[in-house]
C-alpha cells in the first residue's frame, strides 16, 4: 500500500476508482501489484543514470535517485541506514595488523612511490647499513615477479613477495597474511614496499606506523601537487637520487615547498641510495624509532 | 583503479548488512562521495556493475551523492568553500585552509526487500 500519496483505497476501489481519477492512476501505475513499478524503475534505473551522466557535464546526476521516490519508513521496502566507511573492511584488517605490530614492538613502514624512484635500492642500502644492529624484514608488493624480494634476500634479510596480479596497491588483508607467513621477530623493523603507484596506495591503511613517500629528483618538483593524496597521507618524504642533482634542473626547495603545501606536517630527507649521501639520517631515524617502540612494547 | 577494490568492499558490506537484516534482495545503494576524495565517480559506477554481479545486490541501483568541499581558513577564521583539496581560500587567496568536508567515502543507506 502506498502511504506516500494516500492512494491505497484506489486498489480496493479497483476499476471504479481508477475511472474516477484516471490522471492519478496513470501517473503512478498503481494497478495490480502496487510495487511493480518500483521494480521496473530499478531495472532501468542504472542505465538511466548512466545516460544522464554522460549527457550532462560529467557529474553524476543524483536528482533521479531513490530519495525522490521513497521516503524512509513510508514504503513497504525497508531502508537500512548503513553509515559505514567504504574502507571500513580494510581499516578493520589494518587495525589488527597495527595491534600486532604494537604488541610485538615491530616498527612497520609503508613505503610508497611511483615505479622506478628507487624504493628497493633505498631498502637494500638501509638494510646493509643497519643489519648488525637491528633485524629488518621486508614485504615486497609488485604486480608480477619476485625480483625485488630476491634483491632484498641478497642482503641477508628475510623478504616475502606479494604479487597483486591486477591489483594496483597492497591492502591490509594481503599484508595480514604476509606478516603471518613472515612471522617478524619482536622488536624488529618491517618495511612494506608497496606497488609502485602514486595514486591508489594512498587510500589503503596497512596498519603501518608511518607512510613514507619516496620521490626521485628525476621526477619533477610538482609531483606533490599532481598527486596530492599520497603526499598528504605520508609522514616522511625521501628525495632520492640526490647524487644526480648536479646534472639536473631540479629545485629541491621548490619541491619541498610544494610538498608542504599539500601536507604541512611532512618531514623531508634528501638522500642518495646509490652514493649513500644522507642515508645516515634515514638509518638513524629507523633505528631510533624501532628501539623506542620495542622498549615500549617490553614495558607494556 | 583502486575504485574496483572500493566497489568490491561496498558490495561486501551491503550484502552482509542486508543478510543481517533478513533481507533477500538489495534494491538500491546510496553512497556519499566527497568531491575532494581520491576517487572518480565515473570509475565507481563502472566498477559497480562488475562488482555487484552474482550477488543479492545484482539489480540494485546505485546513487552517488557528491559532498561539496569545505575548509577552515586560518586567516579568515571561517568555513569557506573548497574547490580543490589544497586550494586557496576564495576570500583571502591564502593557502592556509584546512579541509573539513569533501573527502567522504561512505555507504549512506540502502533499500532492501
Amino acid at each position: 500500500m502506498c502511504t506516500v500519496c494516500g492512494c491505497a483505497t484506489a486498489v480496493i476501489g479497483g476499476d471504479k476508482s481508477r475511472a474516477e481519477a484516471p490522471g492519478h492512476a496513470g501517473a503512478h501505475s498503481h494497478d495490480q501489484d502496487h510495487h511493480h513499478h518500483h521494480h521496473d524503475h530499478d531495472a532501468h534505473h542504472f542505465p538511466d543514470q548512466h545516460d544522464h551522466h554522460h549527457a550532462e557535464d560529467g557529474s553524476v546526476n543524483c536528482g533521479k535517485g531513490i530519495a525522490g521516490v521513497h521516503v524512509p519508513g513510508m514504503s513497504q521496502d525497508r531502508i537500512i541506514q548503513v553509515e559505514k566507511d567504504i574502507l571500513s573492511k580494510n581499516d578493520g584488517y589494518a587495525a589488527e595488523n597495527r595491534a600486532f605490530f604494537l604488541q610485538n614492538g615491530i616498527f612497520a613502514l609503508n613505503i610508497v612511490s611511483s615505479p622506478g624512484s628507487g624504493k628497493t635500492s633505498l631498502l637494500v642500502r638501509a638494510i646493509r647499513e643497519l643489519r648488525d644492529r637491528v633485524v629488518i624484514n621486508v614485504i615486497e608488493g609488485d604486480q608480477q615477479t619476485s625480483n625485488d624480494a630476491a634483491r632484498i634476500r641478497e642482503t641477508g634479510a628475510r623478504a616475502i613477495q606479494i604479487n597483486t596480479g591486477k591489483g594496483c596497491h597492497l591492502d591490509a588483508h594481503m599484508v595480514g597474511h604476509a606478516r603471518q607467513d613472515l612471522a617478524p621477530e619482536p622488536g624488529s623493523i618491517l618495511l612494506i614496499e608497496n606497488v609502485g603507484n602514486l595514486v591508489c596506495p594512498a587510500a589503503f591503511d596497512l596498519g603501518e606506523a608511518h607512510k613514507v613517500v619516496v620521490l626521485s629528483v628525476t621526477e619533477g618538483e610538482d609531483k606533490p601537487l599532481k598527486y596530492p593524496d599520497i603526499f598528504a597521507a605520508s609522514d616522511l618524504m625521501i628525495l632520492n637520487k640526490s647524487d644526480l642533482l648536479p646534472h639536473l634542473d631540479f629545485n629541491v626547495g621548490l619541491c619541498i615547498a610544494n610538498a608542504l603545501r599539500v601536507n604541512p606536517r611532512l618531514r623531508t630527507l634528501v638522500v642518495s641510495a646509490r652514493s649513500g649521501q644522507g642515508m645516515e639520517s634515514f638509518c638513524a631515524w629507523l633505528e631510533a624509532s624501532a628501539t623506542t617502540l620495542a622498549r615500549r612494547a617490553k614495558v607494556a | 583503479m583502486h575504485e574496483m577494490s572500493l566497489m568490491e568492499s561496498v558490495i561486501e558490506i551491503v550484502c552482509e548488512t542486508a543478510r543481517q537484516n533478513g533481507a533477500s534482495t538489495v534494491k538500491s545503494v546510496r553512497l556519499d562521495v566527497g568531491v575532494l576524495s581520491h576517487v572518480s565517480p565515473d570509475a565507481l559506477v563502472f566498477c559497480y556493475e562488475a562488482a555487484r554481479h552474482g550477488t543479492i545486490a545484482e539489480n540494485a541501483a546505485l546513487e552517488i551523492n557528491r559532498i561539496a568541499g569545505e575548509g577552515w581558513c586560518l586567516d579568515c577564521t571561517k568555513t569557506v568553500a573548497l574547490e580543490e583539496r589544497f586550494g586557496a581560500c576564495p576570500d583571502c587567496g591564502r593557502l592556509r585552509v584546512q579541509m573539513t568536508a569533501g573527502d567522504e567515502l561512505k555507504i549512506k543507506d540502502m533499500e532492501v526487500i
Side-chain angles (χ1 to χ4, degrees), chain B residues 45-110:
Chain B
V45 170
F46 179 80
C47 295
Y48 177 72
E49 280 202 74
R52 65 180 174 164
H53 207 73
T55 70
I56 59 169
E58 189 157 29
N59 295 311
L62 177 70
E63 185 188 326
I64 298 180
N65 292 335
R66 303 310 313 272
I67 312 289
E70 268 181 10
W72 177 261
C73 175
L74 292 175
D75 293 309
C76 303
T77 59
K78 64 173 183 184
T79 297
V80 295
L82 210 52
E83 296 282 316
E84 46 181 333
R85 189 156 179 167
F86 302 99
C89 168
D91 285 359
C92 72
R94 293 195 210 167
L95 291 166
R96 304 207 308 153
V97 185
Q98 289 172 334
M99 179 175 59
T100 52
D103 72 335
E104 292 81 359
L105 208 55
K106 207 168 72 175
I107 307 171
K108 190 167 170 46
D109 51 22
M110 55 195 257

Side-chain angles (χ1 to χ4, degrees), chain A residues 37-78:
Chain A
H37 68 289
H38 288 320
H39 289 282
D40 279 348
H41 177 75
D42 271 2
H44 296 293
H45 183 85
F46 194 81
D48 260 356
Q49 192 185 36
H50 206 71
D51 284 345
H52 266 268
H53 159 86
H54 282 289
E56 288 171 15
D57 62 348
S59 60
V60 173
N61 185 342
C62 301
K64 281 197 69 183
I66 51 173
V69 183
H70 298 294
V71 180
M74 301 193 79
S75 154
Q76 279 187 341
D77 308 324
R78 288 176 295 145

Side-chain angles (χ1 to χ4, degrees), chain A residues 273-284:
Chain A
R274 186 159 165 263
S275 72
Q277 183 193 350
M279 282 302 292
E280 66 281 356
S281 316
F282 180 51
C283 291

Side-chain angles (χ1 to χ4, degrees), chain A residues 83-155:
Chain A
E83 298 288 344
K84 244 189 192 172
D85 221 73
I86 294 177
L87 284 161
S88 56
K89 282 261 166 196
N90 180 74
D91 292 347
Y93 290 121
E96 280 176 29
N97 292 345
R98 185 163 285 121
F100 171 82
F101 295 144
L102 279 179
Q103 248 167 36
N104 293 282
I106 295 166
F107 184 58
L109 292 181
N110 178 2
I111 298 165
V112 293
S113 83
S114 52
S117 66
K119 287 189 295 302
T120 311
S121 302
L122 185 82
L123 298 196
V124 166
R125 184 93 194 194
I127 292 168
R128 289 225 160 97
E129 295 196 8
L130 285 173
R131 63 182 160 195
D132 299 331
R133 303 205 290 276
V134 57
V135 179
I136 302 182
N137 296 303
V138 177
I139 295 176
E140 280 288 343
D142 279 300
Q143 284 201 319
Q144 301 291 338
T145 82
S146 52
N147 295 356
D148 282 358
R151 277 175 68 190
I152 297 290
R153 284 187 200 115
E154 281 172 21
T155 67

Side-chain angles (χ1 to χ4, degrees), chain A residues 245-280:
Chain A
L245 278 173
H247 313 286
L248 304 168
D249 297 326
F250 189 86
N251 183 336
V252 173
L254 179 61
C255 180
I256 294 175
N258 286 339
L260 287 178
R261 190 175 147 192
V262 165
N263 179 357
R265 284 175 294 274
L266 190 70
R267 285 175 292 172
T268 305
L269 289 175
V270 182
V271 311
S272 166
R274 186 159 165 263
S275 72
Q277 183 193 350
M279 282 302 292
E280 66 281 356

